[in-house]
């Protein structure tokens, strides 16, 4: 049943944490995750960011744009650090795009990134001369 499958999935994740990521239940990060402390700290930090918006222009449009920017930057950060954070399986992803602006990004550019390990050699495939600049 579903409950059995979820229990196996949970046990598999605990096994991965302990043996693959070399973590133990005593590990501070593990405890912060299990207790919800990490999530609470994240939410508190996000609440604190509200002061940057409230200290800005007080008209409704500026306030709405401030919250919109904060939401978009938060979404980009969550994607980068949760969904695309594994340097063992790097995947190019776009942090900046049509709906996520970081300020002064060039609309003619395609910004993509991924985490890499310094002790690994990677092979980037593409079509030669299809981009003017790659860094």
């Amino acid at each position: 049943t579903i409950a059995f499958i979820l229990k196996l999935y949970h046990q598999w994740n605990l096994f991965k944490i302990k043996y693959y990521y070399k973590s133990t239940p005593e590990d501070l990060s593990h405890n912060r995750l299990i207790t919800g402390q990490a999530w609470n700290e994240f939410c508190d930090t996000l609440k604190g960011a509200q002061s940057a918006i409230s200290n800005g222009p007080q008209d409704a449009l500026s306030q709405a744009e401030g919250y919109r920017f904060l939401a978009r930057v938060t979404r980009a950060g969550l994607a980068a650090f949760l969904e695309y954070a594994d340097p063992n399986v790097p995947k190019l992803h776009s942090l900046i795009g049509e709906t996520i602006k970081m300020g002064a990004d060039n609309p003619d550019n395609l910004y993509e990134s991924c985490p890499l390990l310094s002790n690994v050699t990677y092979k980037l495939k593409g079509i030669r001369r299809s981009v003017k600049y790659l860094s």
Side-chain angles (χ1 to χ4, degrees):
T1 66
I2 298 292
F4 177 73
I5 292 170
L6 289 175
K7 184 177 179 181
L8 284 177
Y9 180 73
H10 177 71
Q11 289 174 339
W12 169 247
N13 281 328
L14 289 176
F15 178 82
K16 282 193 319 187
I17 288 169
K18 185 174 182 179
Y19 295 103
Y20 181 75
Y21 295 109
K22 306 292 189 251
S23 183
T24 65
E26 293 77 34
D27 181 42
L28 179 62
S29 297
H30 181 82
N31 285 335
R32 289 178 63 244
L33 181 65
I34 298 301
T35 63
Q37 181 184 356
W39 179 256
N40 290 336
E41 290 173 3
F42 169 76
C43 291
D44 290 343
T45 302
L46 195 56
K47 287 178 193 173
Q50 187 265 342
S51 68
I53 297 166
S54 62
N55 290 333
Q58 296 300 306
D59 62 285
L61 180 61
S62 295
Q63 291 288 304
E65 283 299 318
Y67 285 112
R68 182 180 187 193
F69 181 76
L70 179 59
R72 287 177 168 181
V73 170
T74 302
R75 183 180 81 194
L78 289 171
F81 293 104
L82 294 178
E83 305 301 332
Y84 301 104
D86 189 355
N88 294 305
V89 187
K91 180 173 176 19
L92 286 172
H93 67 282
S94 181
L95 279 179
I96 299 172
E98 187 177 322
T99 61
I100 299 176
K101 302 296 180 189
M102 297 293 178
D105 50 302
N106 185 336
D108 293 331
N109 290 350
L110 178 62
Y111 297 94
E112 291 190 328
S113 65
C114 67
L116 302 174
L117 296 170
S118 60
N119 61 341
V120 175
T121 301
Y122 297 93
K123 186 175 196 176
L124 185 63
K125 294 182 181 181
I127 300 171
R128 286 181 181 257
R129 297 185 189 89
S130 64
V131 296
K132 301 222 182 273
Y133 178 73
L134 178 66
S135 72

